[in-house]
Amino acid sequence: MSTFDYDLFVIGAGSGGVRAARMAASFGARVAIAEDQYMGGTCVNVGCVPKKLYVYASQFGKGFDDAVGFGWKGKKPQFDWTTLRDNKKGEIARLNDIYDTLLQGAGADVINGRGRIIDAHTVAVGDTHYSADKLLIATGGWPFVPEFPGNEHAVTSNEIFDLETFPRRLVIVGGGYIAVEFAGIFNGLGANVTQLYRQSLFLRGFDLDIRKHAAQEIPNSGIDLKFEVNVRSIKQIKDGLRVELDDGTALEADAVLYATGRNPNLAGLGLENVNVTLNDAGTIAVDHAFQTTEASIFAVGDVIGGMELTPVALAEGMAFARRQFGGMNQQVDYDFIPSAVFCQPTIGTVGFTEEQARVEFGELRLFKSNFRPLKHTLSGREEKSFMKLIVDATTDRVVGLHMMGPDAGEITQGFAVAMRAGATKAIFDTTIGIHPTTAEEFVTLREPWTGD
Ligand code: NDP
């Protein structure tokens, strides 16, 4: 019998921590989990879940306009921010309770408070010390706002969902997932949105064709998208905020959202008390089994860097619990992880970008399609979809699939299975399409692209 209070003490009840705690407990481990903020972490409270609810809300705005061409007539309904915000709050509170119940039901002790590591086997929460055979750090990430005059006036994705009043004029800084998603949300809800990105083309890391297509479509949807510009200062003025830019111009806004990346959430964790090494990016260094350089301490999720996605954190938490408490030698396979950016239209991506594939495979065959979706022939909306396949010319394997268009997340999830299974272009070609859909385009791309 172990002399420790617990077999596993998890710090952080987000996606990775909760999954690890529940699974470890289901294998019979004695588990405690400490959380100082909200059950379910970023994803449930200030990330994926409320974001998707707000995306749905924002799509009605243009949906009512689209409906006119299909014969629907009448006065357009007005949007009410308070209703959306408070309904969202109710739903998130329901999910918080479910997480709590699931953990308690699995037999884990839930401790409210911030866990601070005292030594390799001890965590303090407030004045109480708990000992455990193994510690798991799953504290996730925290929004990063750079230093500049007036940065205290900026809000982040932690606050934007719950603003007291709807920001009629919103400035968004950044060119990654969060910036483009919130630009689409607030544009759809009726705000005047200006998005600022510091370099010449945003969505760094995505396929270049997707980045260029997004740079056309996002302004078409009504967002004022500005490249090669950054904020110099923010000042409070009588009627909101004055945002001074480094090109000498200025904007007035009701709110300024900073979506300039996230840092690992390590503040006050007590890492100075143990032998845990950090990577250059400040994330926790782990091996294939999520073990840190302190043998009894493990880490999963955004706090270890890599792809900062909820399903990745879930997979890591699960693999950790199976290996340490379930007797299974499981590793996470990071190949062909699909993801979606819920901007409008949505981006879906799986596998290599063209730029990466050229380095990895050499000769490629490319297939591209740029078209107006059937729905918009009657809606009259000026919105184009773009789809692209990247094929390794030597093996015929489809190694990259990228799109921007309606339902890109749903479509990409399905194709990701085929791509992980090694599907070739020949298999794509012999797959019969579902007509009329957007997804069928991926199985009917016959002619390789030969240049613009
Ligand atoms: P990202 O790292 O995706 O983007 C950060 C953006 O901010 C980049 O465009 C970057 O520019 C810019 N930036 C960084 N520092 C500064 C600065 N000092 N001044 C001006 N601009 C700056 O971070 P996000 O915050 O958007 O998202 C964090 C992570 O969360 C994502 O990487 C993703 O993994 C995850 N996420 C996933 C979602 C999904 O799956 N749908 C949704 C939301 C988040 P540059 O390119 O020049 O570095």
Side-chain angles (χ1 to χ4, degrees):
M1 182 71 186
S2 160
T3 53
F4 296 114
D5 298 331
Y6 293 102
D7 299 316
L8 173 67
F9 195 103
V10 181
I11 306 176
S15 304
V18 168
R19 182 58 61 91
R22 282 179 57 202
M23 287 205 76
S26 74
F27 291 128
R30 297 168 308 138
V31 179
I33 181 165
E35 171 60 49
D36 66 334
Q37 277 214 305
Y38 17 59
M39 296 304 293
T42 301
C43 175
V44 169
N45 294 278
V46 287
C48 334
V49 175
K51 181 268 308 289
K52 193 76 187 282
L53 292 174
Y54 280 31
V55 167
Y56 286 132
S58 69
Q59 287 170 339
F60 286 106
K62 289 202 171 60
F64 291 126
D65 297 335
D66 290 346
V68 176
F70 291 90
W72 292 88
K73 302 228 160 69
K75 204 162 159 262
K76 189 174 171 179
Q78 295 300 298
F79 169 66
D80 177 45
W81 169 252
T82 317
T83 304
L84 172 65
R85 188 194 59 202
D86 294 351
N87 285 349
K88 181 274 302 179
K89 276 187 188 165
E91 173 56 14
I92 301 307
R94 190 182 72 84
L95 294 176
N96 294 146
D97 284 349
I98 289 177
Y99 267 71
D100 209 40
T101 309
L102 285 173
L103 280 165
Q104 315 262 12
D109 287 347
V110 179
I111 300 166
N112 294 319
R114 191 159 182 87
R116 178 176 160 76
I117 297 173
I118 302 297
D119 63 38
H121 292 283
T122 311
V123 177
V125 182
D127 294 334
T128 313
H129 285 204
Y130 302 89
S131 66
D133 185 26
K134 295 185 171 95
L135 311 184
L136 178 68
I137 302 170
T139 47
W142 198 254
F144 155 77
V145 178
E147 287 298 327
F148 64 90
N151 74 348
E152 70 276 12
H153 299 301
V155 295
T156 70
S157 53
N158 280 356
E159 297 86 34
I160 190 81
F161 293 105
D162 293 313
L163 292 181
E164 196 51 39
T165 52
F166 182 69
R168 297 242 141 252
R169 302 162 301 170
L170 178 65
V171 171
I172 298 182
V173 183
Y177 279 82
I178 296 180
V180 294
E181 289 184 343
F182 279 101
I185 287 170
F186 281 93
N187 177 52
L189 295 177
N192 288 319
V193 177
T194 306
Q195 184 181 348
L196 310 174
Y197 176 59
R198 63 182 176 181
Q199 298 199 63
S200 57
L201 185 61
F202 63 174
L203 290 168
R204 195 159 54 81
F206 287 82
D207 186 274
L208 186 58
D209 279 326
I210 290 289
R211 298 168 70 193
K212 288 181 180 167
H213 189 80
Q216 278 175 7
E217 286 304 317
I218 287 179
N220 275 349
S221 73
I223 294 162
D224 187 7
L225 179 60
K226 294 181 191 295
F227 291 155
E228 294 186 307
V229 67
N230 213 340
V231 171
R232 191 177 281 158
S233 66
I234 305 178
K235 292 189 178 115
Q236 183 88 55
I237 55 172
K238 191 161 154 277
D239 183 25
L241 299 169
R242 180 178 161 85
V243 186
E244 292 179 342
L245 309 182
D246 59 8
D247 63 1
T249 62
L251 300 163
E252 291 194 1
D254 300 310
V256 181
L257 170 65
Y258 259 74
T260 42
R262 294 170 64 82
N263 286 338
N265 187 7
L266 301 176
L269 195 58
L271 286 188
E272 65 281 5
N273 299 328
V274 286
N275 176 34
V276 169
T277 307
L278 301 185
N279 297 309
D280 289 345
T283 50
I284 294 181
V286 293
D287 66 9
H288 65 284
F290 306 107
Q291 190 167 29
T292 70
T293 42
E294 180 75 67
S296 60
I297 302 184
F298 298 76
V300 294
D302 288 2
V303 80
I304 64 168
M307 292 187 85
E308 295 173 15
L309 301 171
T310 287
V312 172
L314 292 173
E316 291 174 348
M318 216 142 50
F320 161 79
R322 285 188 175 140
R323 177 185 281 267
Q324 301 301 330
F325 303 101
M328 288 173 250
N329 183 7
Q330 201 200 15
Q331 284 190 34
V332 176
D333 181 349
Y334 293 95
D335 286 344
F336 293 96
I337 294 175
S339 83
V341 189
F342 293 98
C343 48
Q344 298 176 32
T346 309
I347 294 171
T349 175
V350 54
F352 293 81
T353 65
E354 180 182 337
E355 300 72 41
Q356 294 166 335
R358 283 207 188 285
V359 176
E360 186 76 18
F361 305 102
E363 202 189 329
L364 306 175
R365 281 185 296 137
L366 304 175
F367 299 83
K368 303 185 188 182
S369 178
N370 193 336
F371 59 97
R372 189 181 199 188
L374 177 62
K375 181 175 174 185
H376 298 320
T377 56
L378 292 200
S379 77
R381 198 198 290 194
E382 290 297 330
E383 181 186 294
K384 291 264 189 91
S385 293
F386 174 77
M387 300 170 82
K388 176 173 180 178
L389 287 183
I390 299 165
V391 178
D392 173 5
T394 312
T395 60
D396 195 44
R397 184 173 179 188
V398 179
V399 293
L401 179 148
H402 310 276
M403 73 173 283
M404 186 172 194
D407 304 319
E410 309 294 336
I411 293 170
T412 307
Q413 178 70 82
F415 279 103
V417 178
M419 289 175 62
R420 278 186 54 79
T424 58
K425 181 65 170 62
I427 299 272
F428 272 58
D429 291 343
T430 54
T431 303
I432 307 280
I434 300 174
H435 188 71
T437 62
T438 298
E440 70 176 323
E441 199 72 13
F442 276 133
V443 296
T444 52
L445 287 166
R446 301 275 175 247
E447 294 301 318
W449 181 79
T450 52
D452 281 320

